[in-house]
């Protein structure tokens, strides 16, 4: 197993400093970069562990606290294990922050993250990949469409509200995407119902985007997050296989 080196870093943005976690393999020179967007529960040990796993596979991985306008991580105090009983109270605090992070603000931040990565000696020259979870899947898709010259591939898992009727729905950037996309949907996910899955697929197909959208059976929303009651081992295993395959082929 490759040893990794993880550290907390600060990234200057147009709206202040974003705290983040950076992890990479020890030694061996610059590596291709992966921008890792958190789920709504925020930057925490679970996500750092996932980022370390990507670093073990040979990548320099950045996990920004996208709620940085509300404070440094953890912005919301979290229990070690997030069960259904605690989830409701947590999301009463989290939802206003999700709603406040408009596509405009999120993509302004994305530009800062990408510039920061491009200037780091630990990052190889060339495009990056992006992955995101829960509402982070929305940020992944938006980043691929907003910065197509920088994004070779983007993935999203148990993504929420990716193809709505809203004028700023993420799927509307499909015609600007040049990289390859992968989405792993949960089959019982009210935040991404079948009609939205179909609308996303149709938009990507119409735009000629290289992509694959798959529905994971018996996997609930949040299936990749081992520190929550939503964790689904089979879905998580499938997610890792799909994500690493995408990265190996595109970076």
């Amino acid at each position: 197993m490759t040893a990794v080196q993880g550290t907390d870093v600060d990234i200057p943005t147009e709206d202040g400093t974003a705290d983040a976690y950076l992890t990479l393999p020890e030694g061996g020179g610059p590596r291709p970069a992966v921008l890792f967007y958190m789920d709504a529960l925020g930057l925490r040990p679970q996500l750092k562990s996932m980022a370390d796993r990507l670093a073990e596979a040979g990548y320099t991985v950045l996990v920004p606290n996208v709620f940085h306008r509300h404070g440094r991580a953890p912005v919301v105090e979290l229990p070690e294990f997030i069960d259904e009983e605690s989830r409701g109270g947590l999301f009463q605090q989290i939802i206003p922050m999700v709603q406040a992070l408009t596509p405009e603000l999120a993509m302004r931040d994305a530009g800062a993250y990408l510039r920061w990565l491009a200037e780091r000696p630990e990052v190889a020259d060339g495009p990056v990949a992006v992955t995101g979870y829960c509402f982070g899947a929305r940020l992944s898709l938006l980043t691929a469409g907003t910065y197509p010259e920088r994004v070779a591939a983007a993935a999203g898992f148990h993504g929420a509200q990716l193809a709505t009727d809203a004028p700023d729905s993420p799927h509307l950037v499909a015609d600007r995407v040049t990289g390859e996309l992968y989405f792993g949907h949960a089959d019982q996910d009210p935040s991404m119902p079948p009609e939205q899955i179909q609308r996303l697929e149709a938009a990507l197909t119409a735009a000629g985007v290289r992509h694959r959208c798959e529905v994971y059976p018996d996997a609930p929303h949040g299936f990749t997050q081992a520190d929550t009651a939503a964790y689904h081992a089979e879905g998580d295993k499938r997610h890792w296989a799909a994500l690493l395959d995408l990265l190996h082929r595109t970076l």
Side-chain angles (χ1 to χ4, degrees):
M1 183 177 293
T2 302
V4 302
Q5 177 181 353
T7 185
D8 295 328
V9 296
D10 285 340
I11 301 172
T13 78
E14 294 182 39
D15 300 310
T17 299
D19 53 311
Y21 179 69
L22 181 73
T23 182
L24 63 151
E26 287 188 351
R31 303 299 183 104
V34 178
L35 175 58
F36 182 126
Y37 281 124
M38 65 188 219
D39 63 358
L41 292 168
L43 180 54
R44 61 195 191 281
Q46 164 65 19
L47 298 191
K48 292 183 178 182
S49 175
M50 294 173 69
D52 286 344
R53 182 165 174 176
L54 285 177
E56 288 172 1
Y59 304 98
T60 295
V61 186
L62 179 69
V63 192
N65 167 25
V66 303
F67 294 153
H68 64 86
R69 292 173 181 82
H70 303 273
R72 300 180 69 87
V75 180
V76 174
E77 186 175 347
L78 300 171
E80 284 190 22
F81 184 78
I82 301 161
D83 56 21
E84 288 301 323
E85 184 177 355
S86 60
R87 191 177 181 88
L90 290 172
F91 270 84
Q92 286 184 356
Q93 303 173 69
I94 291 168
I95 290 299
M97 292 188 289
V98 172
Q99 294 172 338
L101 188 64
T102 64
E104 178 184 7
L105 291 178
M107 290 306 96
R108 197 156 73 202
D109 286 347
Y113 306 148
L114 293 171
R115 286 190 298 272
W116 189 87
L117 283 169
E119 295 169 357
R120 296 292 296 196
E122 306 95 334
V123 174
D125 292 338
V128 308
V130 188
T131 188
Y133 301 83
C134 179
F135 96 111
R138 296 169 58 189
L139 304 183
S140 182
L141 176 53
L142 287 169
T143 302
T146 305
Y147 300 96
E149 73 287 352
R150 294 286 291 124
V151 177
F157 298 92
H158 46 84
Q161 305 294 312
L162 296 179
T164 70
D165 294 324
D168 60 356
S169 176
H171 79 288
L172 297 176
V173 305
D175 61 352
R176 304 202 294 272
V177 173
T178 59
E180 183 174 347
L181 303 185
Y182 178 90
F183 291 97
H185 304 294
D187 70 342
Q188 301 294 322
D189 188 349
S191 71
M192 192 63 188
E195 58 268 23
Q196 286 198 42
I197 294 174
Q198 294 164 9
R199 185 180 293 141
L200 174 63
E201 174 81 31
L204 297 176
T205 300
V209 177
R210 290 168 295 151
H211 72 280
R212 189 175 357 149
C213 296
E214 296 184 319
V215 178
Y216 292 16
D218 303 319
H221 180 79
F223 61 80
T224 62
Q225 301 303 308
D227 62 346
T228 77
Y231 182 68
H232 183 262
E234 186 59 35
D236 186 37
K237 180 180 178 181
R238 183 174 175 180
H239 135 262
W240 279 112
L243 177 58
L244 291 172
D245 177 64
L246 178 69
L247 298 180
H248 293 335
R249 286 187 294 101
T250 56
L251 291 182

